[in-house]
Amino acid sequence: MSIVALTCALIAIDGDTLRCGAERIRLLGIDAPEMPGHCQEGRNCAPGDPVASKNALAERARGPATIERIGRDLYDRTLARVRVNGIDLSCAQIRAGHAIYRADWDQFAFIATDCPSATAAVRKPAGRVITRPGNRQPPVPNQASGWSYRNCGEARRAGAAPLRRGQPGYGAHMDGDGDGIACEPIRR
């Protein structure tokens, strides 16, 4: 993980995604309502007013910012914790009701730890679900942390591989040799 002070102006794309130059930054641990036409079939979309959510994030994103990169998501966006004027934007969006907390998107429980009052009431995904063939499966349960990556590709894209037994995101289904280390590099 790296923490970098940003020198660009943050632009809100929606209620949980920012742009800094060419970099797209997805706020960690939250889901905001999708902009009109973006809640496609097979997606679990957060409830609420997408325009109000985007406007709130745009307002909060003004000022000196720091970014703590956690990894990358399936859409190749940077997954990160972003603070502006010392305020965590994920926590602020949850507290204001412009986003919901997603424990399954908070890999290391950073958001749950830093804003427990905001995340306590909402621990499960909510919103409209339209099922259709090919609908993505939820994360695989893990007794130690409550979730795991679906596969090693997902863990690698998030920058979390290799994973050790007991570590958030670890799942026995990714530990082919049963040595307690999942998604380890291929040995030749």
Side-chain angles (χ1 to χ4, degrees):
M1 292 180 269
S2 64
I3 299 175
V4 178
L6 298 177
T7 57
C8 66
L10 293 172
I11 299 169
I13 295 172
D14 58 25
D16 54 27
T17 307
L18 298 162
R19 182 174 295 283
C20 175
E23 184 179 23
R24 292 177 305 147
I25 303 166
R26 180 67 159 75
L27 297 177
L28 187 69
I30 68 169
D31 192 17
E34 297 295 328
M35 296 304 288
H38 289 194
C39 187
Q40 300 170 0
E41 289 187 43
R43 290 191 59 195
N44 186 5
C45 297
D49 181 347
V51 175
S53 181
K54 177 182 176 181
N55 291 343
L57 183 59
E59 185 65 32
R60 286 183 179 94
R62 293 184 184 156
T66 57
I67 176 173
E68 182 180 350
R69 288 177 175 81
I70 307 299
R72 302 201 69 76
D73 72 1
L74 296 173
Y75 302 102
D76 202 35
R77 297 175 293 192
T78 299
L79 287 171
R81 299 179 70 189
V82 178
R83 290 180 184 84
V84 175
N85 297 316
I87 297 170
D88 186 295
L89 296 183
S90 292
C91 295
Q93 285 291 86
I94 295 168
R95 274 189 212 102
H98 293 296
I100 60 171
Y101 173 66
R102 292 284 306 255
D104 54 331
W105 293 353
D106 189 12
Q107 288 91 336
F108 303 104
F110 291 136
I111 304 306
T113 301
D114 288 352
C115 43
S117 62
T119 60
V122 186
R123 295 264 176 197
K124 294 184 179 178
R128 182 173 68 118
V129 178
I130 304 168
T131 53
R132 130 193 275 194
N135 194 13
R136 289 180 46 191
Q137 297 298 312
V140 179
N142 172 352
Q143 288 183 340
S145 65
W147 71 278
S148 72
Y149 290 100
R150 284 183 270 285
N151 55 49
C152 288
E154 186 176 80
R156 286 185 183 103
R157 282 189 297 277
L163 295 159
R164 289 177 174 36
R165 187 177 290 123
Q167 182 179 5
Y170 171 88
H173 65 285
M174 298 182 297
D175 186 1
D177 59 5
D179 65 353
I181 303 172
C183 306
E184 54 200 309
I186 298 171
R187 297 187 180 134
R188 295 180 190 230

